[in-house]
Amino acid sequence: MGVVRGRDSQEPAFDAWRSVPRAAQPVLRELVIRGPQSRTALARRLGLSPGSMTRLAKPLVETGLVVERAVAHDPVHGRPTRPLEVVAEGLHFLGFKITSAGVYGVITDLRARVVARESAPLRDFSPATVIAQIGELADTLAAPRGRPPVAAGLALGGDGYAPTPVGESELLDSGLLGWEQVPLRRLASERLGISCVLENDVTALAHLQWFGNADDTPDFALLSIGDGVGYALTIHGRPVRITEADIGLFGHQRLAQDGPLCPAGHRGCAVSYITTRAVVMAAAQGLGRFPAYEEVLDLAAAGDPVCSQAVRQAAWALGVLIANISASTMVKSVTLAGESAGIADAARADLESGITARRGSPEGITITVMQHDFHEWARGAAVVAISDHVSAL
């Protein structure tokens, strides 16, 4: 049994959204994506006259989709203004991140603020079981809200084989779960009773980085480091479509001629240096045993020479990879995510040495390390669902 009756349920907030005049829809999208703004700022961004902006904002305020905030002073002209803000509480969205260990779920409002979160270990890898567990989490998350969610986003490592615009991926291959041609989006939509969108997990996380900051950082790269190497690129506020095959090639680019071997037999590629397995294997050669990844970091921080070297060489390789990204895309902002992203902070000098080896200097590159939390990845999936919803206006 699904959590909702679908988009034709008697949800007042959704009905109000459907009634928005076409000419006013870009205004609503801007407020959802970028947050509260003055009429002057909205008019400037959308290329509208002040009179047109006032006319288009009126029905949005009258229907209760947008409210006026307290008086503030325009940062450009200094005049008092009342910024417009979308009412985000009326609509809810689900987001799910699927890993080899578990399913992580969140429910958010229209501005991607998390209302509740849940997680559960995977009972097995079969599509039927995964869909059942997604449904169970969705029921738990949606039940206390008193109103049904509008849509859900699903994020996991894999490749969709339908048309490429956001939300249209359908048949999925996932090496992580051993899936081939699984219609995940359709199965999830049937179980939940709402529209679902499917996205690569790293790309979904990049949506989270962009949402609300489209002007501050329109160009950035996101690197995910853990069991594998993930990559997402956003240019001019738009994600660049990257297939799973492209990501595989990206992770196996050679960083050094005489580096370690990766599981695919490549010598000196990114996977051979910076994944969790690579760091553990490098330490194991000197320790004579297989430590946990966290133990490697702890021993390195305590000055153990073997683990220090394992962490330092991984950080150096990560720096080289960042330099390659910046040199090829001209992007200067790089976000690191995943279980192994802490390598960047554990050996920052070696990271910068790797950047310098390929780029000449780390100057100008901003590196941000995200705190590892799979619920944030799930929130990224919810943002994909939100983006799909506002794009459908």
Side-chain angles (χ1 to χ4, degrees):
M1 184 173 180
V3 296
V4 299
R5 297 185 301 275
R7 283 189 167 180
D8 290 329
S9 63
Q10 301 303 307
E11 170 55 55
F14 186 73
D15 290 341
W17 268 76
R18 298 184 68 174
S19 68
V20 174
R22 183 176 296 274
Q25 290 169 3
V27 177
L28 202 52
R29 283 196 292 267
E30 287 294 318
L31 292 173
V32 170
I33 293 171
R34 292 180 171 84
Q37 297 175 69
S38 69
R39 288 176 173 82
T40 301
L42 281 166
R44 185 167 55 246
R45 185 183 306 283
L46 296 173
L48 299 171
S49 68
S52 295
M53 186 66 248
T54 298
R55 176 176 56 83
L56 294 175
K58 184 178 179 180
L60 300 180
V61 175
E62 289 177 344
T63 58
L65 292 174
V66 170
V67 295
E68 292 182 316
R69 299 182 68 179
V71 174
H73 291 278
D74 187 291
V76 177
H77 305 290
R79 293 191 291 265
T81 182
R82 299 193 69 182
L84 298 176
E85 180 177 13
V86 69
V87 177
E89 295 79 11
L91 298 177
H92 290 98
F93 297 81
L94 292 165
F96 297 97
K97 158 68 173 171
I98 304 166
T99 75
S100 60
V103 181
Y104 299 79
V106 299
I107 188 165
T108 77
D109 65 13
L110 185 62
R111 287 284 297 149
R113 292 182 289 245
V114 174
V115 177
R117 60 182 64 198
E118 294 286 343
S119 63
L122 274 186
R123 294 191 287 265
D124 62 62
F125 289 174
S126 70
T129 297
V130 174
I131 291 297
Q133 292 195 245
I134 288 173
E136 291 164 9
L137 288 185
D139 292 342
T140 301
L141 290 165
R145 308 280 80 80
R147 56 172 63 95
V150 174
L154 310 170
L156 75 163
D159 203 8
Y161 289 100
T164 56
V166 169
E168 293 187 10
S169 294
E170 177 53 88
L171 296 175
L172 180 88
D173 285 5
S174 174
L176 182 71
L177 301 177
W179 288 359
E180 292 184 3
Q181 299 286 282
V182 175
L184 181 63
R185 182 173 65 90
R186 176 176 62 80
L187 293 173
S189 295
E190 291 173 354
R191 169 58 180 86
L192 301 182
I194 55 177
S195 174
C196 293
V197 294
L198 172 65
E199 188 56 271
N200 173 275
D201 53 358
V202 182
T203 303
L205 190 63
H207 274 74
L208 177 59
Q209 292 293 104
W210 165 76
F211 193 80
N213 299 293
D215 288 336
D216 297 338
T217 315
D219 305 327
F220 68 88
L222 189 146
L223 269 176
S224 169
I225 313 161
D227 290 338
V229 178
Y231 176 53
L233 179 65
T234 296
I235 301 293
H236 303 314
R238 293 182 177 273
V240 176
R241 298 300 303 186
I242 303 174
T243 68
E244 197 73 6
D246 292 331
I247 294 175
L249 293 172
F250 173 86
H252 287 289
Q253 62 180 280
R254 179 170 289 184
L255 305 182
Q257 295 292 329
D258 56 351
L261 286 169
C262 79
H266 305 141
R267 185 171 293 282
C269 70
V271 169
S272 75
Y273 276 108
I274 66 176
T275 62
T276 302
R277 178 184 183 277
V279 174
V280 169
M281 290 293 291
Q285 292 180 43
L287 294 176
R289 60 181 178 86
F290 286 97
Y293 174 75
E294 293 75 14
E295 184 185 2
V296 175
L297 293 185
D298 290 342
L299 288 174
D304 179 85
V306 170
C307 293
S308 294
Q309 182 59 28
V311 169
R312 291 185 60 192
Q313 75 173 15
W316 175 87
L318 179 58
V320 173
L321 190 59
I322 291 171
N324 288 349
I325 292 171
S326 180
S328 60
T329 66
M330 300 297 124
V331 165
K332 302 297 190 297
S333 178
V334 179
T335 297
L336 304 177
E339 303 97 314
S340 302
I343 285 289
D345 291 329
R348 182 58 65 124
D350 295 280
L351 178 84
E352 294 180 353
S353 176
I355 296 174
T356 301
R358 290 292 170 88
R359 190 174 177 268
S361 168
E363 187 175 350
I365 296 181
T366 300
I367 299 171
T368 303
V369 180
M370 289 184 65
Q371 183 176 356
H372 181 54
D373 181 357
F374 279 134
H375 283 107
E376 281 295 280
W377 295 65
R379 189 161 76 95
V383 168
V384 176
I386 293 169
S387 299
D388 183 67
H389 172 70
V390 298
S391 297
L393 281 175

